[in-house]
Amino acid sequence: MGAKCTALLYREGKINESEVQRLMCFCVCGGPAFMITGIGAVMLGNITAGTVLYISQLISCLITGIACGIYSRKNKKTTDAKDNRISKNRVCNMGEAFILSVRDSAASVISMSAMIAIFSMFMEIISFVGFYDIIENAFAAAGADTRYAGMILPVLLEVTGGCKAVISSSLPLWCFSLCTGFGGMCIHLQIFEILGDIPLNKKKFIAFRFINSFLSAAITYIICIIWNPSADVFAAGGGCSGHFTSASYAGSGALVIMSVLFVLTMHRGRRIN
């Protein structure tokens, strides 16, 4: 939603390229439905844990946004946003607006679901060829905790798979913030698609995703120290766990359908004037 709103503001001429770059440094955050309900209630079986994760994300984004604003003003990079990108869209009536909204939302859901399906299959392939074993052996050779080896690739690739890996390894709560703070390349590619031809420094964007990841994890760690919650509340392996798998006829069929839809949407222009 942060990327969608940023793209809309830019195309209507209300913000400039510099402001787009700055907004995308911190307008990427897991929503309450995913953080509190998806991770907290479903994966961990505890809404309090999800609330702590969500608060950590918000604080991290606020700190990053304030820091970017101070830096921008100090270097006088904020300029007038008015230019020739004035919206020429005609005014739609309520019925047309509803239809266009539903169409755009459906296309976004299909694209998002297909991207998640593709990355899920990609992670299964990586697991099958033994990449996780290689990383685990490297951790063991370095004397590091091998529990963290299994979360590296899932965290980098797809946020849901990363959270599953954190649960499987029974890692502490701050590891969930590390995962959700980064978001995964699956979400990053969706954001790049939403922005389209809008100028974006992708290296800077990825760098700030890492900054947000570590900052969110640090905030969660500090909250847990100050609050000193009971162990059962924040046990990563406790509670009801959500199961995300394609090991069934229905799941396999859904993956095939989503893959086909993904390929089709790659060749279809979805820009609505």
Side-chain angles (χ1 to χ4, degrees), residues 219-229:
I219 293 171
T220 301
Y221 185 79
I222 293 173
I223 290 176
C224 291
I225 291 177
I226 295 175
W227 193 357
N228 192 24

Side-chain angles (χ1 to χ4, degrees), residues 34 43 115-116 119-128 130-133 135-136 139 146-169 171 175-176 178-188 210 213:
F34 177 69
M43 290 187 178
M115 192 74 74
I116 293 174
F119 270 81
S120 296
M121 290 188 289
F122 185 51
M123 286 192 293
E124 289 296 328
I125 293 173
I126 291 176
S127 176
F128 180 77
F131 277 11
Y132 292 119
D133 295 333
I135 296 176
E136 185 173 344
F139 268 64
T146 56
R147 292 185 305 161
Y148 294 94
M151 66 172 282
I152 294 179
L153 283 177
V155 167
L156 293 176
L157 293 177
E158 201 271 316
V159 63
T160 305
C163 290
K164 282 178 56 183
V166 173
I167 292 177
S168 299
S169 302
L171 296 173
C175 290
F176 285 94
L178 197 70
C179 177
T180 57
F182 182 70
M185 291 305 301
C186 179
I187 289 180
H188 299 169
F210 279 109
S213 175

Side-chain angles (χ1 to χ4, degrees), residues 7-203:
L8 179 62
L9 290 172
Y10 178 78
R11 293 186 174 114
E12 290 186 348
K14 296 180 179 180
I15 59 176
N16 55 39
E17 293 183 10
S18 175
E19 289 166 330
V20 169
Q21 301 285 349
R22 190 164 78 248
L23 282 170
M24 293 314 301
C25 289
F26 60 92
C27 285
V28 183
C29 176
F34 177 69
M35 302 292 289
I36 299 177
T37 305
I39 298 179
V42 177
M43 290 187 178
L44 298 177
N46 191 283
I47 294 179
T48 305
T51 304
V52 170
L53 293 173
Y54 184 57
I55 291 174
S56 300
Q57 289 277 287
L58 291 180
I59 295 175
S60 174
C61 290
L62 286 172
I63 292 174
T64 306
I66 292 172
C68 289
I70 294 173
Y71 177 82
S72 176
R73 285 166 176 76
K74 183 178 179 181
N75 291 270
K76 299 181 179 179
K77 290 186 177 181
T78 302
T79 57
D80 189 3
K82 294 181 179 180
D83 55 25
N84 59 355
R85 288 176 289 102
I86 303 300
S87 177
K88 298 180 181 179
N89 297 342
R90 66 183 181 87
V91 177
C92 299
N93 59 42
M94 185 174 294
E96 291 175 322
F98 177 77
I99 293 172
L100 291 174
S101 177
V102 172
R103 183 188 302 170
D104 186 53
S105 300
S108 298
V109 170
I110 292 173
S111 177
M112 178 181 66
S113 301
M115 192 74 74
I116 293 174
I118 292 293
F119 270 81
S120 296
M121 290 188 289
F122 185 51
M123 286 192 293
E124 289 296 328
I125 293 173
I126 291 176
S127 176
F128 180 77
V129 298
F131 277 11
Y132 292 119
D133 295 333
I134 295 174
I135 296 176
E136 185 173 344
N137 292 334
F139 268 64
D145 191 341
T146 56
R147 292 185 305 161
Y148 294 94
M151 66 172 282
I152 294 179
L153 283 177
V155 167
L156 293 176
L157 293 177
E158 201 271 316
V159 63
T160 305
C163 290
K164 282 178 56 183
V166 173
I167 292 177
S168 299
S169 302
S170 298
L171 296 173
L173 191 67
W174 61 264
C175 290
F176 285 94
S177 282
L178 197 70
C179 177
T180 57
F182 182 70
M185 291 305 301
C186 179
I187 289 180
H188 299 169
L189 292 178
Q190 294 174 48
I191 290 174
F192 296 158
E193 179 192 5
I194 290 171
L195 295 178
D197 58 352
I198 297 176
L200 177 67
N201 187 330
K202 293 181 174 60
K203 292 182 180 179

